[in-house]
Amino acid sequence: MTDTYEKPDVMVDVVPLMLRGERLCTVLAMRAKEPFMGRPALLGGYVHLPEDSSLGATARRVLLEKAGIQGLYVEQLSTFSGPDRDPRGWSVSVAYFSIVPEEAIDDVLMRPDLQIVPVEEAVGLPFDHDLIISAAVARVRGKGAYSDIPARFLPAEFSLGELHRTYEAVLAERIDESAFRRKLMERDFVERIEGLTKTVEGAKRPSQVYRLRPGLSVFDRRF
Amino acid sequence: MTDTYEKPDVMVDVVPLMLRGERLCTVLAMRAKEPFMGRPALLGGYVHLPEDSSLGATARRVLLEKAGIQGLYVEQLSTFSGPDRDPRGWSVSVAYFSIVPEEAIDDVLMRPDLQIVPVEEAVGLPFDHDLIISAAVARVRGKGAYSDIPARFLPAEFSLGELHRTYEAVLAERIDESAFRRKLMERDFVERIEGLTKTVEGAKRPSQVYRLRPGLSVFDRRF
DNA sequence: TCAATAGTGTCTGTTAGACAGTATGGA
DNA sequence: TCCATACTGTCTAACAGACACTATTGA
């Protein structure tokens, strides 16, 4: 069975997401090879057998090799397939998105082969990368509304004000502050770091510092 | 790049879901070949190049070839991968679930190589099929709560009472009847077929017949 | 003291669930 | 008529959004 049919190419494409100036952005790389050499596209690569232990491992390797970043939150999105999505022939691309936290953005900025683009402006890309980016944004704005995903754009320690602004930026909509705090406190979603405060830039009064409670990844419903 | 690395096997596994006696069930097939010959497992098959036009097409072909059913609602779940999930070596399985409507159940019952099993009892299966079934149930019970997926277990025309009982069976929880009807009417989720009524078995008063409004697939939030 | 953000309390409209009630037609 | 299910109306409790209010510190 296996040997009477040719195997498709299997690759991984990663949509790195970050926040720049309250806008949700992705990272594109100039393609160094054909097809579409010289054009910006998502970070992608073939699965390496046998050393990749899973396609998630492939995604993390691609992030490290093509963008020099590691330790990111990575989540599988969906799988795209067909004879026409890649001019090289029938292919399978397993798409992932990953969250680039604030403190890792500088590493990306240093690389001349990478560009940071607001997700709304990342269109006209080769392959079916427009579609993959739409899927990533839909996931983060849909599921993100009631998960801890937006918190991953921040460093491990943050104030509730920063977290509030981050949710607003990711979802691109206003969220009532008191409802936000209420929800966050009801579910044990974040935990306060006793005795630790910091003054956010621009503010006068220092704010309590919180961190994501380890363990759970999704809490409840929408704010 | 492509030719320096071996390609993984790419297969599709399908979780057919149906309702039997108010219980959510799946369909397992006796494996006709090694590995795990003679043991029940999900319906699976390798992608056929070049005739499969996508992995979704592979899933539909597998349903037809291994269970003799077609025209079903099919949705991609997630992709599973790694060196150990299949004893034949590094493999990628793209998992789908599909909804088997009431009127197609007889076709499945006629096939001696298939068995219908409540999802809670479909455990201890080969490969990572337990995991795949869990993912399918989670998807249908999560997303299903606010989508039209449960309606696809019914024939095209149904009464609101039948639809209500179907949601309860799929989600395995009680749903308030008046809230259910209110929600359904507010969103234009179903449309009444003017002048058409039918008497559900056991009932005395005939009920209005509805159908899914063509087009939209997801409406709003939970009941 | 003023400015600026941090954080709290209260009102109100919406909505989901509970549940009682009416409607309809078969036996 | 009684019964079983179809369908509707109303009350209530929970909750999200609006928004005004207090708290805290730097300048």
Side-chain angles (χ1 to χ4, degrees):
Chain A
M1 196 69 156
T2 304
D3 34 26
T4 55
Y5 289 97
E6 203 193 335
K7 296 179 184 180
D9 283 320
V10 178
M11 63 186 67
V12 160
D13 284 304
V14 183
V15 186
L17 293 172
M18 59 171 67
L19 245 28
R20 290 273 290 162
E22 312 275 282
R23 296 243 278 167
L24 188 62
C25 297
T26 189
V27 178
L28 302 175
M30 288 300 168
R31 284 188 60 80
K33 285 183 297 212
E34 292 295 348
F36 306 113
M37 186 163 65
R39 288 180 56 185
L42 290 176
L43 310 181
Y46 289 103
V47 56
H48 288 189
L49 266 53
E51 71 257 35
D52 286 346
S53 65
S54 68
L55 290 165
T58 307
R60 288 188 291 275
R61 182 176 51 73
V62 163
L63 275 169
L64 181 58
E65 288 177 1
K66 307 239 164 154
I69 41 182
Q70 57 186 310
L72 272 55
Y73 176 81
V74 170
E75 183 177 315
Q76 193 187 109
L77 258 182
S78 186
T79 296
F80 299 81
S81 61
D84 302 322
R85 56 173 303 283
D86 187 319
R88 287 165 289 188
W90 220 109
S91 67
V92 172
S93 170
V94 183
Y96 287 78
F97 75 90
S98 84
I99 307 292
V100 183
E102 211 174 275
E103 67 269 26
I105 294 181
D106 284 343
D107 297 342
V108 174
L109 283 169
M110 282 183 346
R111 298 191 50 137
D113 55 327
L114 301 180
Q115 47 182 279
I116 299 176
V117 182
V119 290
E120 292 81 8
E121 296 166 20
V123 292
L125 302 180
F127 309 105
D128 46 9
H129 287 187
D130 286 9
L131 195 60
I132 295 178
I133 291 174
S134 300
V137 173
R139 171 76 64 91
V140 159
R141 294 221 165 118
K143 175 178 164 181
Y146 50 89
S147 79
D148 63 8
I149 285 180
R152 299 179 188 278
F153 285 99
L154 288 173
E157 302 187 343
F158 46 78
S159 73
L160 290 192
E162 290 170 324
L163 189 60
H164 180 220
R165 286 186 291 275
T166 300
Y167 272 80
E168 291 189 327
V170 171
L171 303 182
E173 64 185 29
R174 212 208 139 246
I175 299 165
D176 179 77
E177 194 197 346
S178 103
F180 179 81
R181 284 168 182 270
R182 235 180 321 186
K183 268 290 164 83
L184 229 50
M185 296 294 92
E186 282 170 14
R187 344 277 171 193
D188 295 315
F189 178 41
V190 294
E191 61 187 7
R192 59 189 300 150
I193 305 175
E194 284 312 327
L196 186 57
T197 59
K198 70 168 177 178
T199 304
V200 177
E201 91 138 51
K204 306 289 171 98
R205 172 173 169 182
S207 43
Q208 173 63 45
V209 175
Y210 290 80
R211 68 176 150 232
L212 269 185
R213 192 178 288 279
L216 76 158
S217 179
V218 169
F219 53 113
D220 198 42
R221 312 248 133 238
R222 140 172 297 283
F223 288 107
Chain B
M1 196 68 156
T2 305
D3 34 26
T4 56
Y5 289 97
E6 204 193 334
K7 295 179 183 181
D9 283 321
V10 178
M11 64 185 66
V12 161
D13 284 304
V14 183
V15 186
L17 294 172
M18 59 172 66
L19 244 30
R20 290 273 289 166
E22 313 275 282
R23 297 245 279 166
L24 188 63
C25 296
T26 189
V27 177
L28 302 175
M30 288 300 168
R31 285 188 60 80
K33 285 183 298 213
E34 292 296 346
F36 306 114
M37 187 163 67
R39 287 180 56 186
L42 290 176
L43 310 181
Y46 288 104
V47 55
H48 288 187
L49 262 54
E51 71 257 35
D52 287 346
S53 64
S54 69
L55 291 165
T58 306
R60 288 187 292 274
R61 181 174 53 71
V62 164
L63 275 168
L64 182 58
E65 289 177 2
K66 306 237 164 152
I69 40 182
Q70 56 186 313
L72 272 55
Y73 176 81
V74 170
E75 184 176 313
Q76 193 187 108
L77 258 181
S78 185
T79 296
F80 299 81
S81 62
D84 302 321
R85 55 174 303 283
D86 187 319
R88 287 165 289 190
W90 220 110
S91 68
V92 172
S93 169
V94 183
Y96 286 79
F97 74 90
S98 85
I99 307 293
V100 183
E102 211 174 274
E103 67 268 26
I105 295 180
D106 284 343
D107 296 342
V108 174
L109 283 170
M110 281 180 353
R111 299 190 51 135
D113 55 327
L114 302 180
Q115 48 181 277
I116 299 177
V117 182
V119 291
E120 290 82 9
E121 296 165 20
V123 292
L125 302 180
F127 308 106
D128 46 10
H129 287 187
D130 286 8
L131 196 59
I132 296 177
I133 291 174
S134 300
V137 173
R139 172 76 63 90
V140 158
R141 294 222 165 117
K143 176 178 164 181
Y146 51 88
S147 79
D148 62 9
I149 284 179
R152 299 179 188 278
F153 285 98
L154 288 173
E157 302 188 343
F158 46 78
S159 72
L160 290 193
E162 290 170 324
L163 190 60
H164 180 219
R165 287 187 289 273
T166 300
Y167 271 81
E168 290 190 328
V170 171
L171 303 181
E173 64 185 30
R174 212 210 138 244
I175 299 166
D176 180 77
E177 193 196 346
S178 104
F180 180 80
R181 285 168 182 268
R182 232 180 324 185
K183 267 291 167 79
L184 230 50
M185 297 293 92
E186 281 169 15
R187 346 277 171 193
D188 295 316
F189 178 42
V190 295
E191 60 188 7
R192 60 189 299 150
I193 303 175
E194 284 312 328
L196 187 58
T197 61
K198 70 168 177 178
T199 304
V200 176
E201 91 137 51
K204 306 292 169 100
R205 174 174 167 181
S207 44
Q208 173 64 44
V209 176
Y210 290 79
R211 68 174 150 235
L212 269 185
R213 193 177 287 280
L216 76 158
S217 179
V218 170
F219 54 113
D220 198 42
R221 312 246 133 239
R222 156 170 281 288
F223 288 107

